[in-house]
């Protein structure tokens, strides 16, 4: 079993939809949770970072961590074609080693 | 704006050739990393370095070596390229006391080995 599981998709939604992207994990020591966005032929860029449990909002993006369920989510409101990308979850504990999910490919259709 | 630069974006090499992938960061970060990214497998850590001339194996070091002679530069070396090393290679860096382990990535080097 992988430490971090992420459905690779692809996920296709119409413009304006609410998008929900998710990861599950098995290591209860994880306490730092990140979402990276990767456009085609580019490197990943940090989108959201959350420490421990709770929600964090940044514009149209909300990151949610539920440590009791070992489940993290990224919500995108009013999705735009420019949001079309691969979204990678990543997490780490005190060891410092960052573990990535496979990435979910999202397409937002105009 | 902080930057990690991978000078070779696209390379095509032949089996058995020696390949150098260069990465330079301008953020004075102590830690640098090399990952490869493959469909269905996500990002896998090849090697990392926490200081000049220091290196540590990641999860898949076989067939690779690295060099860190200067703080800003981290090179990935394929001594004898093979077709199964066709992949996207990503360099990243971070500061040592970055508690969240947030990495800054380069744009990637897509290597094709024929």
């Amino acid at each position: 079993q992988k430490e971090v599981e992420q459905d690779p998709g692809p996920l296709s939604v119409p413009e304006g939809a609410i998008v929900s992207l998710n990861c599950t994990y098995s290591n209860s020591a994880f306490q730092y949770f990140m979402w990276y966005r990767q456009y085609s032929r580019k490197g990943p860029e940090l989108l959201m970072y959350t420490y421990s449990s709770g929600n964090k909002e940044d514009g149209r993006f909300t990151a949610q961590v539920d440590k009791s369920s070992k489940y993290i989510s990224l919500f995108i409101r009013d999705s735009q074609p420019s949001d079309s990308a691969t979204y990678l979850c990543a997490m780490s504990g005190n060891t410092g080693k960052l573990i990535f999910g496979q990435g979910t490919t999202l397409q937002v259709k105009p | 704006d902080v930057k990690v630069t991978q000078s070779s974006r696209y390379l095509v090499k032949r089996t058995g050739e020696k390949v150098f992938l260069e990465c330079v960061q301008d953020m004075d970060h102590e830690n640098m990393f090399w990952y490869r990214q493959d469909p269905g497998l996500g990002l896998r850590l090849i090697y990392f370095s926490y200081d000049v001339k220091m290196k540590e194996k990641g999860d898949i070091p076989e067939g690779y070596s690295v060099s860190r002679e200067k703080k800003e530069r981290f090179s990935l070396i394929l001594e004898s390229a093979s077709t199964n090393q066709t992949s996207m290679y990503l360099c990243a860096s971070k500061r040592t006391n970055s508690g969240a382990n947030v990495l800054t990535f380069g744009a990637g080097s897509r290597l094709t080995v024929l």
Side-chain angles (χ1 to χ4, degrees):
Chain A
Q1 182 190 3
K2 292 180 181 177
E3 278 193 281
V4 178
E5 299 275 1
Q6 183 177 11
D7 186 339
L11 181 63
S12 182
V13 301
E15 183 176 354
I18 296 174
V19 176
S20 172
L21 304 168
N22 312 292
C23 289
T24 58
Y25 63 95
S26 57
N27 190 340
S28 57
F30 289 155
Q31 51 188 312
Y32 301 100
F33 303 93
M34 283 144 271
W35 287 95
Y36 283 84
R37 178 176 59 195
Q38 184 177 21
Y39 290 115
S40 181
R41 300 187 183 87
K42 302 282 188 181
E45 56 177 344
L46 182 69
L47 189 61
M48 300 282 285
Y49 149 66
T50 310
Y51 171 70
S52 195
S53 284
N55 293 1
K56 186 171 186 177
E57 191 172 319
D58 184 2
R60 296 184 295 109
F61 298 89
T62 300
Q64 203 170 71
V65 174
D66 182 350
K67 291 189 74 179
S68 61
S69 301
K70 297 191 182 68
Y71 189 88
I72 70 169
S73 301
L74 178 71
F75 297 97
I76 308 174
R77 290 185 299 281
D78 187 25
S79 56
Q80 302 295 307
S82 58
D83 295 327
S84 297
T86 296
Y87 291 81
L88 298 147
C89 65
M91 49 198 80
S92 69
N94 287 329
T95 63
K97 186 177 179 181
L98 198 58
I99 309 296
F100 287 87
Q102 283 188 65
T104 300
T105 300
L106 171 68
Q107 184 182 29
V108 181
K109 294 183 175 180
Chain B
D1 193 19
V2 295
K3 250 188 162 177
V4 176
T5 303
Q6 294 180 237
S7 52
S8 301
R9 293 296 315 279
Y10 301 94
L11 303 95
V12 180
K13 299 292 183 181
R14 299 236 173 246
T15 300
E17 278 193 82
K18 191 168 186 176
V19 181
F20 291 89
L21 299 180
E22 300 285 338
C23 175
V24 177
Q25 52 96 4
D26 64 2
M27 298 167 280
D28 201 35
H29 284 174
E30 296 85 3
N31 300 272
M32 296 188 74
F33 304 80
W34 276 106
Y35 289 87
R36 63 177 284 178
Q37 184 177 29
D38 300 287
L41 297 176
L43 271 73
R44 293 180 292 168
L45 181 63
I46 304 170
Y47 266 99
F48 66 99
S49 168
Y50 53 88
D51 201 351
V52 176
K53 296 191 187 295
M54 306 304 289
K55 60 184 179 184
E56 293 284 343
K57 293 180 179 179
D59 298 317
I60 53 162
E62 296 77 21
Y64 303 94
S65 62
V66 291
S67 173
R68 183 113 181 255
E69 295 297 318
K70 292 184 178 182
K71 189 176 186 179
E72 66 271 18
R73 189 179 298 269
F74 192 35
S75 302
L76 181 69
I77 303 153
L78 288 67
E79 293 289 342
S80 178
S82 63
T83 55
N84 63 12
Q85 291 178 311
T86 292
S87 187
M88 169 74 115
Y89 290 89
L90 292 163
C91 176
S93 73
K94 80 173 182 82
R95 198 170 298 285
T96 292
N97 293 325
S98 169
N101 295 310
V102 172
L103 301 180
T104 301
F105 283 90
S109 299
R110 183 164 293 281
L111 172 66
T112 301
V113 183
L114 302 176

